[in-house]
Amino acid sequence: MDLNQLKSRYDVLATRQLIVAEGIKDMEEIERTLFSDAASAQSWGNFAVVIQAALVPLNVIVNAFEVKKATSIYQSIVKTLYSQYAASGSRNSKPTKEIFKVLGGVITDHLKSQALTEYIPGVNILLGFAQDSIAFFNTAVEVSNNSKEQSILFTNMRLQMDKAKKEMLKLGTERAIIHDRLTQINRTA
């Protein structure tokens, strides 16, 4: 390579090295943000698992009693919110809800036809316990899966940053070689 080609190649390498350095800096910033977001998401995920676990025994107690008619606005609001967000089965998928609805209806109808209505609260407790256990398990699995996905994401990001750093080193090495050749040419000129 002649002098102009070496200078041109040196400038191209310097530009590429600058671009890679900016990319590494951006990836490190993104990694810090993602790490913070992931820690927050993990905390909320753990909180969701704890809430699901707490609802299992709570709903065993609630399912043991027949819910009475609400007599105040406050009671109506609490009953509505509970039935939509915390009652046994309210946190399961639609097919799971349907299965338990049919199962509960069939068992209750059978018990009523056999004049065994005193067993209905026990059936409600067991069906509610099963539904809450499924919701608890599904939440725990989802949190675990999200944690694994985050781990994979961080590993892939770290691999990309390592690859970019190797590229940066390669560009720096090539620039240093060209710089030495340019220095040698300038000394002999």
Side-chain angles (χ1 to χ4, degrees):
M1 276 193 218
D2 69 355
L3 183 62
N4 289 333
Q5 288 175 326
L6 285 174
K7 285 180 182 179
S8 175
R9 180 71 181 150
Y10 185 84
D11 291 341
V12 167
L13 291 173
T15 303
R16 284 180 56 199
Q17 197 173 24
L18 180 63
I19 292 169
V20 171
E22 286 296 317
I24 291 170
K25 188 175 104 179
D26 290 345
M27 282 193 285
E28 287 171 343
E29 180 64 32
I30 290 168
E31 182 185 41
R32 280 190 294 277
T33 302
L34 283 175
F35 186 75
S36 173
D37 292 349
S40 177
Q42 186 65 37
S43 295
W44 282 109
N46 291 339
F47 181 70
V49 170
V50 169
I51 292 298
Q52 291 289 353
L55 284 172
V56 173
L58 171 69
N59 281 336
V60 166
I61 295 166
V62 171
N63 291 334
F65 302 101
E66 207 159 308
V67 180
K68 296 181 172 123
K69 188 174 181 177
T71 57
S72 71
I73 292 176
Y74 172 76
Q75 288 175 338
S76 295
I77 291 171
V78 169
K79 183 179 178 185
T80 301
L81 288 173
Y82 175 79
S83 67
Q84 288 181 1
Y85 301 110
S88 295
S90 64
R91 297 167 321 279
N92 288 324
S93 65
K94 190 171 183 172
T96 304
K97 288 179 188 179
E98 290 298 318
I99 289 169
F100 278 102
K101 184 178 179 181
V102 169
L103 184 62
V106 168
I107 294 171
T108 301
D109 289 346
H110 180 73
L111 290 173
K112 286 179 181 176
S113 72
Q114 299 293 319
L116 299 170
T117 56
E118 66 273 8
Y119 291 109
I120 292 175
V123 169
N124 290 339
I125 290 170
L126 292 175
L127 289 174
F129 180 72
Q131 291 177 52
D132 291 334
S133 296
I134 289 170
F136 172 62
F137 178 76
N138 287 340
T139 301
V141 167
E142 186 175 335
V143 169
S144 175
N145 289 342
N146 287 343
S147 180
K148 288 175 187 172
E149 284 178 31
Q150 290 171 356
S151 178
I152 291 168
L153 176 67
F154 285 124
T155 300
N156 288 339
M157 186 168 226
R158 181 56 53 194
L159 289 173
Q160 288 298 318
M161 287 194 319
D162 289 346
K163 184 178 173 183
K165 288 176 181 176
K166 286 178 185 175
E167 178 68 17
M168 181 83 157
L169 183 62
K170 180 180 147 196
L171 292 171
T173 302
E174 191 175 346
R175 266 184 78 198
I177 291 169
I178 292 173
H179 180 268
D180 290 347
R181 288 178 67 195
L182 285 171
T183 304
Q184 192 177 41
I185 291 171
N186 284 335
R187 282 188 191 153
T188 58

